[in-house]
Protein backbone atom coordinates (compact mmCIF):
# COMPACT_ATOMS: atom_id res chain seq x y z
CA UNK A 1 0.00 0.00 0.00
CA UNK A 2 2.70 2.47 1.00
CA UNK A 3 4.78 1.76 -2.11
CA UNK A 4 1.77 2.30 -4.35
CA UNK A 5 0.92 5.65 -2.78
CA UNK A 6 4.58 6.67 -2.95
CA UNK A 7 4.60 5.84 -6.69
CA UNK A 8 1.69 8.22 -7.22
CA UNK A 9 3.53 11.07 -5.52
CA UNK A 10 6.69 10.26 -7.48
CA UNK A 11 4.69 10.51 -10.71
CA UNK A 12 3.21 13.84 -9.64
CA UNK A 13 6.71 15.14 -8.93
CA UNK A 14 8.33 13.58 -12.03
CA UNK A 15 5.74 15.07 -14.38
CA UNK A 16 5.73 18.43 -12.55
CA UNK A 17 1.98 18.28 -12.07
CA UNK A 18 0.75 21.36 -10.26
CA UNK A 19 -2.98 20.97 -10.86
CA UNK A 20 -4.91 17.76 -10.31
CA UNK A 21 -8.48 16.86 -11.15
CA UNK A 22 -10.96 16.64 -8.31
CA UNK A 23 -11.29 12.89 -8.95
CA UNK A 24 -7.57 12.33 -8.36
CA UNK A 25 -7.59 14.54 -5.28
CA UNK A 26 -10.59 12.72 -3.85
CA UNK A 27 -9.11 9.27 -4.50
CA UNK A 28 -5.80 10.32 -2.91
CA UNK A 29 -7.57 11.78 0.11
CA UNK A 30 -9.68 8.66 0.58
CA UNK A 31 -6.65 6.39 0.28
CA UNK A 32 -4.66 8.45 2.79
CA UNK A 33 -7.61 8.41 5.21
CA UNK A 34 -7.90 4.64 4.90
CA UNK A 35 -4.15 4.24 5.45
CA UNK A 36 -4.31 6.46 8.54
CA UNK A 37 -7.14 4.34 9.96
CA UNK A 38 -5.20 1.16 9.13
CA UNK A 39 -2.22 2.50 11.07
CA UNK A 40 -4.48 3.25 14.03
CA UNK A 41 -5.75 -0.32 13.91
CA UNK A 42 -2.23 -1.71 13.62
CA UNK A 43 -1.25 0.24 16.73
CA UNK A 44 -3.98 -1.75 18.49
CA UNK A 45 -2.63 -4.96 16.91
CA UNK A 46 -5.71 -5.36 14.74
CA UNK A 47 -5.72 -5.82 10.96
CA UNK A 48 -8.86 -4.90 9.05
CA UNK A 49 -8.62 -6.73 5.73
CA UNK A 50 -11.67 -4.97 4.30
CA UNK A 51 -10.17 -1.56 5.04
CA UNK A 52 -6.87 -2.65 3.49
CA UNK A 53 -8.71 -3.69 0.33
CA UNK A 54 -10.59 -0.37 0.30
CA UNK A 55 -7.30 1.56 0.64
CA UNK A 56 -5.84 -0.44 -2.25
CA UNK A 57 -8.91 0.25 -4.38
CA UNK A 58 -8.68 4.01 -3.76
CA UNK A 59 -4.97 3.98 -4.55
CA UNK A 60 -5.58 2.03 -7.76
CA UNK A 61 -8.28 4.51 -8.75
CA UNK A 62 -5.99 7.47 -8.05
CA UNK A 63 -3.18 5.87 -10.07
CA UNK A 64 -5.51 5.15 -13.00
CA UNK A 65 -6.91 8.69 -12.99
CA UNK A 66 -3.44 10.19 -12.65
CA UNK A 67 -2.13 8.14 -15.58
CA UNK A 68 -5.05 9.31 -17.71
CA UNK A 69 -4.29 12.89 -16.67
CA UNK A 70 -0.60 12.49 -17.54
CA UNK A 71 -1.47 10.98 -20.92
CA UNK A 72 -3.99 13.68 -21.87
CA UNK A 73 -4.12 16.64 -19.46
CA UNK A 74 -6.15 18.66 -21.92
CA UNK A 75 -8.95 16.11 -21.67
CA UNK A 76 -9.42 16.76 -17.95
CA UNK A 77 -11.28 19.95 -17.18
CA UNK A 78 -12.42 19.25 -13.63
CA UNK A 79 -9.72 21.03 -11.63
CA UNK A 80 -9.92 23.79 -9.08
CA UNK A 81 -9.05 26.26 -11.83
CA UNK A 82 -12.21 25.33 -13.76
CA UNK A 83 -14.56 25.54 -10.77
CA UNK A 84 -16.95 28.45 -10.83
CA UNK A 85 -17.35 30.39 -7.60
CA UNK A 86 -20.60 29.92 -5.74
CA UNK A 87 -23.04 32.80 -5.99
CA UNK A 88 -23.03 35.10 -3.01
CA UNK A 89 -26.48 35.85 -1.71
Amino acid sequence: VVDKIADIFVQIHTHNIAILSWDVIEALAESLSAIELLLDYLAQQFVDQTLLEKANAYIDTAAKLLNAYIDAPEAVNDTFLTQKPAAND
Side-chain angles (χ1 to χ4, degrees):
V1 173
V2 175
D3 290 339
K4 289 166 75 174
I5 199 85
D7 288 342
I8 290 172
F9 285 102
V10 166
Q11 280 191 314
I12 291 170
H13 177 72
T14 301
H15 294 281
N16 294 320
I17 297 172
I19 302 168
L20 291 172
S21 70
W22 284 113
D23 290 343
V24 174
I25 292 168
E26 181 180 29
L28 282 172
E30 292 291 347
S31 62
L32 291 172
S33 291
I35 291 169
E36 180 183 14
L37 189 54
L38 276 170
L39 292 174
D40 287 344
Y41 286 160
L42 287 175
Q44 300 170 22
Q45 298 182 349
F46 174 73
V47 176
D48 185 336
Q49 188 64 35
T50 303
L51 186 58
L52 180 60
E53 291 169 5
K54 185 185 274 190
N56 271 313
Y58 284 127
I59 293 167
D60 291 343
T61 298
K64 180 177 135 186
L65 292 168
L66 182 61
N67 287 333
Y69 184 76
I70 289 168
D71 291 342
E74 69 282 352
V76 177
N77 62 3
D78 188 22
T79 66
F80 75 89
L81 292 178
T82 62
Q83 300 300 312
K84 293 183 174 46
N88 293 337
D89 290 329

